[in-house]
Amino acid sequence: MEKPTATHEVDSGKGAIQDLSHDAETATAVEKSMGVMESIRKYPKAVAFSMILSMCVIMEGYDTALLGNFYGLPQFRKRFGVRLPDGDWQLTSAWQSGLQNGTQVGQICGLLAAGLLADRFGYKKTLIGALAMTTGFIFLFFFAQNIGMLFAAEFLCGLPWGAFQTLTTTYAADVTPIPLRPILTTYVNMCWVIGQFISAGVLRGLLNRPDNWAWRVPYAIQWIFPPPIILGVLFAPESPTWLVKKGRIEDAKKSLRSLTGSSVDNEEIDQTIAMIAHTNALEKVHLQGTSYLDCIRGTNLRRTEISCVVWICQVACGIWFGGNVVYCLEQANFPPIKAFDFGLGLNGIALAGTIAAWFVLPRVGRRTLFLYGLVVMFLILMAVGFMGIPEPKASLGYASGVLMMVFVLTYDLTVGPVCYCLVAEMSSTRLRIKTVVLARNAYLIASIVANFLNPPILNPSAWNLRGKGGFIWAGICFTVFVWSFFRLPETKGRSAAEIDVLFERRTPARKFSKTTVDPFHGPESGEGIADKAHC
């Protein structure tokens, strides 16, 4: 490991620590005083590279939406499904669950590996390797001869997709100042929605094809994404936070310089690196390590719990039910073309909702937006459940479709994008990658449960509950609302060091926004770091 050569080294004595704290305090004050536009002017390259890396998630959003929409594609069902007594073709409920869960299991394995590899080799090398794997595994989709090959492809592609979800979110949090953090972390969710939108549009355009190209072409389109993203990753600077954690202070300064504009002078660069180093040293006092086991030690147990449950809320709020509009409407006797039109419109609304979240988040706050979103989605699920009690009618089908659109808009304005911001902010900087890995895996485990629960609710060969399934999901949604009310803190406008202090003080979730903390003076500050923290 290279020896740090910065003037403000963490292990150089009490005087250097005091200088480090002073520069860190100055940099934090500057970041918190900046507006969004000023932050973009100072960090234009950070914005650009973060957005390029986040495009990796488009591939995951594209394929996961593709699989769900394929259940409503007659050509796909005929090729890989079984014939029902009424002459219709359907994938069995077991295979619907199996295909989706193959992806989730692959992502769980990929996430755990990505957490270890990224901590050791950095973001760039890990992402390039994941993109190369994706390019090769797409061949299995395109040349699939049976449903077993599709299952293998879903599992193998899940491995790099797991890396995408973790590294894009943590990179955005690492390279951007406080005002841009909610925008660029929630942009990851927008990339997911963009992938879903492209998927719905491609399938709608191929719906009238009678042959197997109706499902082969959508799979082949996935080859378009990796080459330009790989090129962008090659030019992207490594995360300054990761470099500081490795003790490579001079490299961190060069990286930060590559992420900022010409208006940022060397003094500001030094102060920002001091802020990162101060936070890293402050956390070393309490953490002592960066392993997965450290994520569940001391106050980090609470931080990991919040990160995990917040991501579970993305499933538990009912999006598996409310977002499955194409298949759900077809089971309500909608013709495929109309159902896919609804699905395309739904993805457009989801995209608009995520964009709107950019403007709402800096003003409203994470906790408030999250709680209100869960309340609205609970009410919609209850309404859809009641409309599912009578026999299927066109009028009720349209009403349910409209409510599902409102549901998805609410999700993509609140729980969907806010989750990415919260998960990135809840974890400590030293454990950020591994905490996000555990949180995403919690999401995937919840997804596996949802993949077993939701298909029987809608599948005509299983429970066939149709709209009445809204009651089941409403109960789950209410449960996570109660947890969020008592356990979810507000992190709006807080620096990483301030969040560290709030957790160390064991501040109750509902008092986070009103509690005053000073991470630069007092018992939790850098005063004691010289004696306890060593690079």
Side-chain angles (χ1 to χ4, degrees):
M1 181 183 295
E2 294 183 28
K3 181 177 177 60
T5 57
T7 56
H8 301 309
E9 295 182 15
V10 177
D11 59 351
S12 58
K14 188 173 181 178
I17 290 298
Q18 290 173 341
D19 291 340
L20 183 68
S21 298
H22 178 268
D23 283 357
E25 185 176 9
T26 302
T28 301
V30 169
E31 278 200 9
K32 295 178 76 171
S33 67
M34 289 192 300
V36 172
M37 294 309 298
E38 183 182 357
S39 300
I40 293 174
R41 284 194 294 270
K42 284 193 171 186
Y43 288 82
K45 298 174 187 176
V47 173
F49 284 119
S50 176
M51 294 179 76
I52 290 171
L53 266 63
S54 296
M55 288 174 63
C56 294
V57 181
I58 292 178
M59 287 183 284
E60 185 193 359
Y62 178 90
D63 185 76
T64 51
L66 201 65
L67 184 61
N69 287 330
F70 272 158
Y71 298 157
L73 186 71
Q75 299 92 319
F76 184 84
R77 295 204 308 258
K78 189 173 183 179
R79 179 67 180 80
F80 296 103
V82 296
R83 192 166 190 171
L84 301 181
D86 63 1
D88 190 19
W89 291 84
Q90 292 280 350
L91 269 73
T92 64
S93 175
W95 267 117
Q96 286 183 359
S97 300
L99 288 174
Q100 290 174 308
N101 286 336
T103 304
Q104 314 302 340
V105 173
Q107 288 191 47
I108 289 173
C109 299
L111 277 162
L112 292 171
L116 297 171
L117 293 171
D119 255 349
R120 181 172 181 179
F121 300 109
Y123 288 83
K124 293 181 62 174
K125 292 179 180 178
T126 308
L127 276 174
I128 290 172
L131 287 162
M133 289 172 64
T134 302
T135 304
F137 293 150
I138 293 171
F139 281 94
L140 281 175
F141 281 125
F142 186 77
F143 292 106
Q145 299 298 309
N146 52 59
I147 201 165
M149 286 186 68
L150 286 181
F151 176 82
E154 293 289 348
F155 171 79
L156 291 172
C157 279
L159 297 173
W161 290 340
F164 298 155
Q165 278 289 346
T166 303
L167 301 184
T168 52
T169 304
T170 54
Y171 186 85
D174 279 1
V175 303
T176 55
I178 293 172
L180 294 179
R181 204 166 54 198
I183 294 175
L184 289 174
T185 51
T186 56
Y187 175 75
V188 178
N189 182 76
M190 176 179 284
C191 287
W192 172 282
V193 175
I194 290 171
Q196 293 179 317
F197 186 75
I198 295 172
S199 170
V202 168
L203 284 182
R204 176 61 182 87
L206 295 167
L207 192 59
N208 292 325
R209 284 196 67 100
D211 54 19
N212 286 330
W213 288 104
W215 58 268
R216 287 191 193 275
V217 170
Y219 278 137
I221 288 175
Q222 292 180 98
W223 276 311
I224 296 174
F225 300 118
I229 299 175
I230 289 175
L231 187 63
V233 174
L234 286 172
F235 286 99
E238 188 55 83
S239 161
T241 302
W242 181 82
L243 292 168
V244 167
K245 190 168 68 174
K246 293 297 181 181
R248 297 164 55 182
I249 305 298
E250 288 302 320
D251 288 340
K253 289 182 180 181
K254 293 176 183 177
S255 175
L256 186 60
R257 167 55 66 196
S258 300
L259 292 164
T260 57
S262 58
S263 62
V264 179
D265 57 30
N266 290 332
E267 183 180 5
E268 288 183 82
I269 295 290
D270 289 342
Q271 289 172 346
T272 302
I273 293 299
M275 178 181 66
I276 297 171
H278 178 271
T279 302
N280 180 63
L282 182 65
E283 291 173 355
K284 289 180 75 173
V285 172
H286 306 288
L287 301 180
Q288 301 301 324
T290 58
S291 68
Y292 281 115
L293 190 59
D294 289 303
C295 294
I296 57 174
R297 286 175 173 161
T299 56
N300 283 302
L301 176 60
R302 181 186 175 194
R303 302 176 80 156
T304 303
E305 173 219 330
I306 294 170
S307 299
C308 289
V309 180
V310 162
W311 226 325
I312 288 172
C313 287
Q314 278 200 335
V315 179
C317 68
I319 192 63
W320 253 241
F321 179 80
N324 204 353
V325 64
V326 174
Y327 188 70
C328 189
L329 289 178
E330 285 193 358
Q331 303 318 306
N333 297 326
F334 265 57
I337 291 178
K338 285 189 177 181
F340 272 92
D341 286 341
F342 252 101
L344 192 59
L346 194 68
N347 282 283
I349 288 174
L351 186 59
T354 306
I355 295 173
W358 286 356
F359 299 94
V360 177
L361 257 177
R363 296 171 174 80
V364 175
R366 291 79 156 126
R367 171 184 163 89
T368 303
L369 205 56
F370 203 85
L371 289 174
Y372 275 103
L374 288 173
V375 169
V376 173
M377 286 187 283
F378 167 76
L379 295 174
I380 292 173
L381 288 169
M382 290 295 293
V384 172
F386 281 113
M387 285 192 292
I389 294 175
E391 288 299 314
K393 296 179 182 178
S395 58
L396 289 175
Y398 276 110
S400 296
V402 170
L403 281 177
M404 286 181 179
M405 286 186 169
V406 177
F407 183 96
V408 172
L409 175 62
T410 304
Y411 173 84
D412 283 289
L413 180 61
T414 59
V415 173
V418 176
C419 166
Y420 287 88
C421 182
L422 283 169
V423 169
E425 291 178 333
M426 288 300 160
S427 54
S428 67
T429 57
R430 286 177 60 78
L431 287 171
R432 182 172 283 156
I433 292 176
K434 288 188 170 67
T435 303
V436 173
V437 165
L438 294 177
R440 185 65 183 177
N441 273 337
Y443 164 87
L444 292 171
I445 292 170
S447 299
I448 290 173
V449 176
N451 288 338
F452 280 115
L453 175 64
N454 205 55
I457 290 174
L458 299 177
N459 198 300
S461 63
W463 301 347
N464 195 27
L465 294 179
R466 299 189 303 273
K468 293 190 290 293
F471 291 132
I472 297 175
W473 285 106
I476 302 172
C477 182
F478 181 76
T479 301
V480 293
F481 167 78
V482 173
W483 175 90
S484 301
F485 183 81
F486 289 104
R487 298 292 291 171
L488 182 63
E490 177 59 74
T491 54
K492 175 178 175 287
R494 297 288 193 181
S495 69
E498 288 174 331
I499 295 172
D500 287 341
V501 173
L502 285 166
F503 276 110
E504 285 300 322
R505 289 184 181 179
R506 304 184 187 278
T507 306
R510 286 176 287 173
K511 295 183 179 180
F512 251 61
S513 60
K514 299 177 182 178
T515 302
T516 302
V517 294
D518 185 355
F520 307 104
H521 308 92
E524 299 99 345
S525 71
E527 298 292 335
I529 291 176
D531 300 324
K532 298 180 181 179
H534 302 279
C535 287

